[in-house]
Amino acid sequence: MTKVLTVIGTRPQFIKAAAVSRAINEHGGIKEILLHTGQHYDDVMSDIFFREMDIPKPDYHFSINTSTHATMTAQMLEGIEQAIIKEKPDKILVYGDTNSTLAGALAASKLHMPVSHVEAGLRSFNMDMPEEVNRILTDRVSTQLFCPTEAAMQNLQNEGLATTDKTVVNTGDVMYDAALYYAKQASQRSTILQQLGISHDKYLLATVHRAENADDKERLTKIVNAINTLAKQYTVVLPLHPRTKKMIEQYHLSLSCMVINPVGYIDMLSLLQNCHLVLTDSGGLQKEAYFFHKYCITLRDQTEWVELTKAGCSTITGADEPKILQAVADMYDKPFRNGSVFYGDGHAATIIAKHLAT
Ligand code: UD1
Ligand code: UDP
């Protein structure tokens, strides 16, 4: 029996862990201990995912004071270290590129524990992003690197990390597994369209939460202006991340679109499946737009999901208001073309479980 201690703490990590935990159970021979760092803590950012997606109750759940990155990461490190010492797992499993990811990887490597990294190899080549630092450091100390794409494999090759003492494998993307599995449930269970009084194909779906946008007054103002301009012509639904909500208030900005609280994954999938197109700075949503054959306008200056921009499924606009408006105009009536398979076949989690058991 392989004992795996999984470290998660943010909304997308709950979604990814739901897919992998299910595959771990189906595989057998692995005991998973779940540790929630507490990075995300509001019900709509955390507990709702555990309830709706049948994720087991975490064995450890910390409460952290989310002040600065260093304080947050340090608080997580302490707790994770204690859990590792107590549980004596065979490996530590981490997801993505958040502070929770880095804390898990660092605590493990200080105790000479093997680290398995889901979403390894992604790069934006922008070291100003906290996520870029987190993912580079995590990849460096990982022994099992599960890449979601060919581009991620290539990045690890280029950095000399694809060595024989490590497992570096293109598993496909566990978010695709999750989207396929829960989309069926979303069409049966979600009533979000009725609740909001919106209908299929008649609205744009937007999210904004990246530090580079939310914490930069000039960029956030331009994005808010673009959304407000679009809202004069279209229904724009915006589930607002608490970080962005706080900064919009702080900068005295105001949104005139349909602003709603963050929603659970089931409602989010329904919003995604039924929208006309997506505007986002989220990593996850760029791909989910593609999974559901929607064009994506990416409110960032670069992306880790380069295959989408190369294929013309996503357009990078940054926070440039005229570019955002032009991209919507260009894409609104264009039929979606989707010829390539970028993210595996929906069985990434099964491949990961197999490797975790070794
Ligand atoms: C974090 C990740 C980001 C990921 C995102 C997923 C890092 C550096 N960033 O960004 O990569 O895309 O999660 O959503 O790890 N807040 C609440 N309630 C919550 C959670 C957050 O009010 O439940 C507010 C707090 O004011 C907090 C702020 O949002 O200070 C930012 O939260 P934090 O977890 O630091 O970063 P995210 O923007 O969520
Ligand atoms: N998501 C959600 N509810 C929301 C907004 C996003 O369930 O109100 C989901 C979204 O569908 C995706 C994941 O959360 O699966 C992405 O999270 P986020 O954008 O916070 O982080 P990122 O992917 O950029 O790290």
Side-chain angles (χ1 to χ4, degrees):
M1 178 74 76
T2 308
K3 196 170 177 182
V4 175
L5 190 145
T6 299
V7 177
I8 48 177
T10 62
R11 170 166 77 185
Q13 288 168 342
F14 309 139
I15 296 166
K16 293 164 200 171
V20 175
S21 292
R22 191 170 332 96
I24 283 177
N25 284 337
E26 281 165 12
H27 185 280
I30 304 170
K31 177 168 171 50
E32 185 177 37
I33 314 283
L34 214 51
L35 185 154
H36 184 330
T37 63
Q39 180 169 348
H40 285 175
Y41 46 89
D42 290 343
D43 185 80
V44 286
M45 296 293 289
S46 174
D47 291 0
I48 190 170
F49 295 93
F50 288 79
R51 284 196 302 274
E52 282 190 343
M53 302 171 77
D54 292 325
I55 308 170
K57 190 171 160 7
D59 300 279
Y60 295 83
H61 194 158
F62 305 146
S63 169
I64 50 163
N65 169 11
T66 56
S67 44
T68 63
H69 282 261
T71 310
M72 182 199 283
T73 312
Q75 287 177 4
M76 292 176 191
L77 267 172
E78 256 189 272
I80 297 168
E81 183 180 59
Q82 282 165 22
I84 296 174
I85 291 168
K86 181 160 175 257
E87 298 291 344
K88 300 184 181 53
D90 297 298
K91 17 186 107 153
I92 312 298
L93 176 62
V94 295
Y95 292 88
D97 52 21
T98 69
N99 292 342
S100 299
T101 317
L102 179 62
L106 204 50
S109 68
K110 296 276 180 196
L111 293 168
H112 308 292
M113 299 289 312
V115 178
S116 305
H117 185 202
V118 174
E119 280 197 353
L122 295 172
R123 298 290 181 263
S124 65
F125 302 99
N126 175 359
M127 287 298 276
D128 289 336
M129 285 178 71
E131 291 87 356
E132 184 76 352
V133 177
N134 291 342
R135 52 172 92 99
I136 288 174
L137 297 177
T138 301
D139 281 342
R140 187 65 189 82
V141 298
S142 294
T143 45
Q144 291 188 316
L145 296 104
F146 303 129
C147 297
T149 59
E150 267 316 306
M153 290 287 286
Q154 192 55 56
N155 288 334
L156 294 181
Q157 195 87 43
N158 296 346
E159 290 175 22
L161 287 182
T163 52
T164 47
D165 58 335
K166 294 176 189 282
T167 302
V168 180
V169 53
N170 183 352
T171 57
D173 192 332
V174 296
M175 289 209 88
Y176 186 41
D177 301 20
L180 289 179
Y181 184 83
Y182 289 102
K184 286 185 208 134
Q185 298 191 23
S187 20
Q188 289 156 8
R189 284 164 57 189
S190 176
T191 58
I192 188 81
L193 265 62
Q194 293 93 305
Q195 284 174 48
L196 299 177
I198 52 176
S199 37
H200 175 73
D201 207 29
K202 296 280 189 284
Y203 62 93
L204 316 185
L205 178 63
T207 75
V208 185
H209 78 280
R210 290 281 167 181
E212 75 218 51
N213 288 329
D215 294 0
D216 182 319
K217 187 176 180 187
E218 198 184 327
R219 287 181 71 100
L220 190 59
T221 304
K222 287 187 198 158
I223 291 174
V224 166
N225 287 345
I227 290 174
N228 288 345
T229 305
L230 289 169
K232 289 181 190 151
Q233 193 179 347
Y234 309 101
T235 300
V236 183
V237 179
L238 174 63
L240 194 57
H241 190 291
R243 169 185 219 122
T244 318
K245 183 171 190 244
K246 197 168 80 180
M247 298 317 288
I248 282 180
E249 283 161 9
Q250 196 169 309
Y251 297 146
H252 304 293
L253 300 171
S254 94
L255 278 161
S256 55
C257 66
M258 191 183 282
V259 179
I260 60 172
N261 283 330
V263 293
Y265 190 52
I266 300 295
D267 280 343
M268 194 60 184
L269 287 180
S270 181
L271 287 172
L272 272 157
Q273 283 174 295
N274 289 291
C275 72
H276 192 85
L277 55 79
V278 173
L279 298 111
T280 193
D281 60 8
S282 159
L285 250 85
Q286 289 173 57
K287 290 172 293 166
E288 286 163 344
Y290 171 77
F291 300 157
F292 298 114
H293 303 178
K294 314 290 174 182
Y295 281 115
C296 179
I297 290 151
T298 300
L299 308 171
R300 289 185 42 197
D301 295 334
Q302 61 283 121
T303 181
E304 302 78 37
W305 307 105
V306 288
E307 51 289 325
L308 293 179
T309 43
K310 275 189 200 143
C313 301
S314 157
T315 296
I316 303 262
T317 61
D320 187 312
E321 191 186 340
K323 267 195 194 163
I324 297 169
L325 300 178
Q326 188 60 52
V328 173
D330 290 346
M331 287 172 159
Y332 197 85
D333 290 320
K334 205 163 125 185
F336 190 84
R337 281 179 294 110
N338 173 38
S340 311
V341 177
F342 297 129
Y343 301 106
D345 61 0
H347 294 96
T350 309
I351 300 170
I352 288 169
K354 210 169 73 193
H355 283 285
L356 288 173
T358 59

